[in-house]
Amino acid sequence: AQSVTQLDSQVPVFEEAPVELRCNYSSSVSVYLFWYVQYPNQGLQLLLKYLSGSTLVKGINGFEAEFNKSQTSFHLRKPSVHISDTAEYFCAVSDLGSNYQLIWGAGTKLIIKP
Amino acid sequence: SQTIHQWPATLVQPVGSPLSLECTVEGTSNPNLYWYRQAAGRGLQLLFYSVGIGQISSEVPQNLSASRPQDRQFILSSKKLLLSDSGFYLCAWRGEGMFDTQYFGPGTRLTVL
């Protein structure tokens, strides 16, 4: 069965520094990959998704992610973070084995230090 | 455009009381509907999902239940709340296509005292 691992529960980073949030999944057969962001006390909002095509996906708020099939990873990056990026970030995967239901990672809290 | 509503936004209930949370979707038909819970310090837990009216799949055993009386209405209920039911409840919808994105409502913060 598909599983998603977000190894870092929290990532502290200084404002204007780059950041990478890691996401690995267990199966590489025809997967579709998503990153969502959740601001405090709000619902989740789609940041970006990979369905096919270019392995580098650009999303909202200056975020991008790269699909790496050989490493079964879909890491999220931003070259320069702002205080407004403080949120929790969730990686999710869907595939035929899960009937295209989303399988969620545990989430990573991005903490921006001034 | 599609929108998803949840209410109430916050709720404080005593242990043993009943619960009813409502979610409605506008601007789409025959959506897949989901109920998730976030407990403090834990990720997203899928509670129920529905692919059509009256069709409910339960992902975890619990004292909660879900119903879908209309195409775009999804209700989460409990007859007697437990302390462990406290959390942030999120409703989401997704189109029928396999590539469709899942969209979330604003959530309900439930505190059981």
Side-chain angles (χ1 to χ4, degrees), chain A residues 109, chain B residues 37-43 84 86-88 109:
Chain A
K109 289 185 178 178
Chain B
R37 176 170 62 198
Q38 284 182 298
R42 301 178 69 176
S84 57
S86 292
F88 193 50
R109 174 72 61 189

Side-chain angles (χ1 to χ4, degrees), chain A residues 26-66:
Chain A
S26 59
S27 170
S28 62
V29 178
S30 298
V31 292
Y32 309 103
L33 300 150
F34 305 80
W35 274 101
Y36 282 80
V37 59
Q38 184 180 29
Y39 299 104
N41 294 310
Q42 294 185 26
L44 278 71
Q45 178 183 1
L46 181 70
L47 265 181
L48 49 80
K49 62 183 178 182
Y50 171 80
L51 301 180
S52 65
S54 172
T55 57
L56 184 62
V57 181
K58 294 189 183 298
I60 62 171
N61 302 340
F63 284 92
E64 63 181 31
E66 186 159 16

Side-chain angles (χ1 to χ4, degrees), chain A residues 32 34 36 38 41-46 49 51 88 90 94 99-102 104-107 109, chain B residues 32 34 36 38 41-44 49 51 88 90 94 98-107 109:
Chain A
Y32 309 103
F34 305 80
Y36 282 80
Q38 184 180 29
N41 294 310
Q42 294 185 26
L44 278 71
Q45 178 183 1
L46 181 70
K49 62 183 178 182
L51 301 180
E88 189 158 18
F90 291 90
S94 73
N99 197 25
Y100 300 104
Q101 302 288 4
L102 290 179
W104 295 89
K109 289 185 178 178
Chain B
N32 290 340
Y34 304 84
Y36 289 90
Q38 284 182 298
R42 301 178 69 176
L44 281 169
Y49 72 91
V51 298
F88 193 50
L90 290 161
R94 174 175 170 263
M98 66 177 72
F99 304 126
D100 285 0
T101 298
Q102 198 166 115
Y103 297 96
F104 286 80
R109 174 72 61 189

